[in-house]
Structures are given as structure tokens and as C-alpha cells.
Amino acid sequence: MPEEILNDISHRRYNPLRGSWLLVSPHRTKRPWQGQQESPSKSSLPEYDPSCYLCPGNKRAQGDVNPKYETTFVFVNDYSAVKESQAEYTQEGDPSDLSNLLRAAPVTGKCYVLTFSSSHNLTLADLSPAQILPVINVWTSIYASHLSPSSPLSGIPLNLPAPTQMIEKPSAQYTWMQIFENKGAAMGCSNPHPHGQIWTTTGLPEEPAAELQQLIKYRKEHGGRNLLEDYAKLEMEKKERIVFENEGFLVVCPWWAVWPFEVMVVSKRHRRSLVDLSEQERKDFAEAIAEVTRRYDNLFETSFPYSSGIHQAPLEGTEEEINASHFHMHFYPPLLRSATVRKFLVGYELMAEPQRDITPEQAAKRLREDCGGELYRKNLE
């Protein structure tokens, strides 16, 4: 464990990946818990739902019919947050004018939906690493197809299985691709069929931009070393916050984690993006995702909600930006004490800075020692 006194006193922890701080209040976990206790939850969903817009063979909201797919299926989002074509917009005015405080910039892009399985009643936690691997292969194919031809990552041999679907290239070059999943109604997921989303946009969004700035800064200040590669080495030495590891990836509750059981899946070696991963590393990544999601479900014996997302090199950027990037995946789950008691980022968190009660070390210990083994649901059937 870190310095023993940090288990008992309020303190702030620095997040080098964002250049920000958070408040930790570990003494609050000593409060006795007399809240609700739940019995293990079973899935009540059918394997196929004729009313589901994502199940094989079903008609979607705008009339297109899904193919009879068996593993993954990707399509352009019927209700995309950004579109490839829209009305032109240019902000007029003198930059010194007060109206410059009301700035706006157009955003275009392309949004996809990717199903993880043809079965309506499964989640990533139910899938084996071998069943998750096709999802990673599709992520890789879509990312590669959107890379700028001038990127140092463009043209890297991928050694992927033949695709079951052809990915149409975008009509323009976009800067960023955000691969993410919202799991569960608590995270705003509108359809329980296992799926994630992929948004590509012009411009670099706030979160990855903040991380990239820190990654570039660290590399400059440390003779070309990489922040997350060094951080992974440090965590493997300390062995205080590791949940799971294999040859290619480390699953860790970060020192700076905000959410109670937040984890980061990080490549042990410097890998800039999905296209840098070898065939074995993609398998290792699939195993890491399977471990995270299964351990989450086992923690409170429920289908554990979270938002997850991959941060990697931008689709288009300077050589400095791309080579400073380090492939990793964030999992942000809200649950704190049970299947229904969640952490809310409100009050102090909104007005001052993030705050957490349970320490990352305590969270990692529970996920590592108490939540391994077979998925709890398999023993309920």
C-alpha cells in the first residue's frame, strides 16, 4: 500500500494524464453500511427480441433491415450525433469584439454502431476473449480505414481475418475517432442488445486533447520516454493497484481514479493505436476486457453499468502528437456500495474538484481477490 497515513487522512492525488487533481477521503469508508442489500440478479432478456432494432434480421427505426449476422455487425448510426454533410457555417466578426465570447465552430463526422454479439441477452461479461476478439478486429479495421494517408500509422500491415463487412471510407478526413460503450440504463443506454459506438469528428475533443498535451509534455521532459509506459512499469513494481495483467496489457485502478471502481486497461509497451497491436496483443486486449467486465459483474452480482472508451493516436495529427500517444482504455463505472447505490459527481465535485471515498488500492484489492473466476450468472441458471 502507499504510505500508511494516506489510508486515514484526506488528501489530494495528482493525475499526470490530465494535469489535474482530485480529493480522496478514505476515512469515510469506515462508516457502517446499513443500506440495501440485493440478491444476485439474473438476465431476463431473451436471446432474440423481435422488437429490438439491433437483433439479426430485424428492421431498424428508419426502415433498414439488419442482415442475419452471427458475430458483429456495424452500420452508420441512424441518428448520428454528427453528419458528413450539413449547411456551411463561418463565424463573422472582429476577433477583438465582445461577440467573440460567443464562439461556435462547425463539426462534421461519421458515427457508427457496432454490435458485439448476435445474442440479445449477452454482454461483454458473458463473452470469452475469443468472442470479444472479432469486436477488436472490427475496431481496428474501422480505425485503419479512417487514418489520414499522411499518418505514420497509415499502411501498417494488420494481419486481420477477412472482414465480414466492407467498411466504406469517409467522404472527408476526420481528426478523432472515439470508440466507446455505454452499458446499462444507469449510463443512458437505450438498447440492451450488446453494442458500442464509434464517432469520428473534425477537431480533437476535450478529454483526449488534455491527455495528449500531458503525454507530449512528459515525453519532452523525460528524454523521449512515454508517460503511460513508465506508469505501467511503476504499477508492476508497486503491485498495489493491479487487478489483472497478461503479457501485453495491465488492468489497474489508477492512482488518480475518480469513480469508485474505475479501471484503466493500458498497453505495457508503447503502442500508439489499435493498428500497432500484434495479433497476440489483440488477443491479450480481448482477455483484459473479458476480465474487467466479468469481475465488474461478479462484484455486486449484477449486470454492472459503466461507460468505457479507447484513447489512442488521432486519425490525423503531427508526428509528435501521434508518436506521443499511448493506447489505453478507460472504464468509468458508477456503482459504489451495491447494485443500486451509486456514486454521484455532484456538489463539491461539480463546483470544486472530483472526490472519492474508497481508495483505488481498496478497489483494486476487491476486484483482484474477490471477483475472479466464473461469471456468477452461470451458477444461477
Side-chain angles (χ1 to χ4, degrees):
M1 293 290 286
E3 293 183 55
E4 201 63 34
I5 192 172
L6 294 184
N7 293 327
D8 297 309
I9 65 168
S10 300
H11 62 278
R12 298 174 83 206
R13 294 195 182 192
Y14 180 64
N15 178 353
L17 192 55
R18 292 196 78 260
S20 59
W21 291 83
L22 73 145
L23 174 65
V24 184
S25 310
H27 57 283
R28 284 166 60 88
T29 59
K30 296 178 181 178
R31 295 173 297 169
W33 175 245
Q34 295 179 317
Q36 183 174 346
Q37 302 290 334
E38 291 82 23
S39 57
S41 61
K42 295 178 66 175
S43 173
S44 58
L45 297 174
E47 185 175 0
Y48 167 76
D49 183 349
S51 66
C52 171
Y53 294 129
L54 300 181
C55 278
N58 286 2
K59 183 183 290 187
R60 298 204 304 275
Q62 294 197 355
D64 291 336
V65 177
N66 300 329
K68 296 278 190 177
Y69 67 91
E70 295 181 356
T71 54
T72 61
F73 170 52
V74 62
F75 61 93
V76 176
N77 197 321
D78 296 320
Y79 298 95
S80 295
V82 290
K83 298 180 179 181
E84 290 196 276
S85 60
Q86 62 184 11
E88 296 289 332
Y89 173 77
T90 303
Q91 188 153 13
E92 306 290 344
D94 187 335
S96 64
D97 191 86
L98 285 178
S99 62
N100 194 47
L101 293 172
L102 309 177
R103 295 168 63 188
V107 178
T108 57
K110 195 169 185 178
C111 299
Y112 301 89
V113 174
L114 171 63
T115 62
F116 300 152
S117 170
S118 59
S119 297
H120 184 75
N121 60 346
L122 300 182
T123 68
L124 288 177
D126 298 283
L127 302 182
S128 68
Q131 292 171 311
I132 294 174
L133 184 58
V135 176
I136 294 171
N137 290 339
V138 175
W139 285 341
T140 305
S141 294
I142 295 179
Y143 177 84
S145 71
H146 286 66
L147 275 171
S148 168
S150 64
S151 170
L153 298 168
S154 183
I156 293 177
L158 298 180
N159 192 26
L160 291 171
T164 56
Q165 283 181 262
M166 294 303 296
I167 305 300
E168 185 179 334
K169 285 187 175 293
S171 60
Q173 181 58 60
Y174 301 116
T175 303
W176 181 253
M177 176 174 287
Q178 186 57 62
I179 299 170
F180 66 97
E181 179 196 5
N182 294 320
K183 181 193 174 191
M187 303 309 290
C189 183
S190 60
N191 189 319
H193 193 106
H195 73 284
Q197 298 187 56
I198 303 167
W199 293 11
T200 60
T201 57
T202 51
L204 194 59
E206 291 286 328
E207 283 296 313
E211 290 189 358
L212 187 53
Q213 184 178 11
Q214 291 297 110
L215 291 168
I216 291 172
K217 179 183 176 185
Y218 187 92
R219 197 170 187 191
K220 286 180 177 178
E221 294 176 350
H222 295 83
R225 297 209 317 269
N226 296 286
L227 189 158
L228 285 179
E229 188 175 22
D230 281 357
Y231 177 67
K233 289 177 183 176
L234 179 63
E235 289 289 14
M236 287 187 286
E237 291 172 6
K238 296 286 187 181
K239 300 186 184 303
E240 295 165 348
R241 287 165 292 276
I242 294 176
V243 175
F244 171 81
E245 66 177 305
N246 54 29
E247 181 63 26
F249 285 86
L250 187 70
V251 177
V252 60
C253 291
W255 168 264
W256 56 81
V258 171
W259 295 96
F261 292 94
E262 175 182 332
V263 303
M264 180 171 65
V265 180
V266 59
S267 172
K268 289 183 176 180
R269 301 168 189 83
H270 182 221
R271 299 291 183 260
R272 299 164 295 180
S273 74
L274 281 161
V275 299
D276 272 341
L277 301 183
S278 67
E279 184 177 0
Q280 182 57 51
E281 285 172 325
R282 289 196 296 270
K283 292 178 180 177
D284 290 343
F285 185 37
E287 183 183 31
I289 291 174
E291 286 288 336
V292 171
T293 53
R294 189 180 73 255
R295 288 169 188 266
Y296 274 168
D297 278 21
N298 285 346
L299 179 63
F300 296 131
E301 296 189 325
T302 192
S303 187
F304 204 86
Y306 59 76
S307 281
S308 66
I310 292 173
H311 283 170
Q312 56 187 326
L315 299 170
E316 183 176 53
T318 66
E319 190 168 334
E320 178 184 54
E321 290 172 334
I322 289 168
N323 289 332
S325 299
H326 190 110
F327 183 82
H328 61 287
M329 186 175 190
H330 295 287
F331 281 82
Y332 298 148
L335 297 186
L336 173 61
R337 293 263 198 168
S338 73
T340 58
V341 178
R342 56 183 295 185
K343 166 72 175 179
F344 291 95
L345 293 182
V346 296
Y348 186 87
E349 290 91 347
L350 289 178
M351 305 299 167
E353 67 184 10
Q355 180 270 346
R356 65 177 290 129
D357 297 341
I358 179 175
T359 67
E361 295 77 30
Q362 293 168 330
K365 186 174 187 294
R366 291 191 63 181
L367 289 172
R368 180 178 61 247
E369 298 180 3
D370 302 339
C371 303
E374 192 173 51
L375 184 66
Y376 81 93
R377 281 192 293 276
K378 293 187 177 180
N379 297 320
L380 299 178
E381 296 171 353

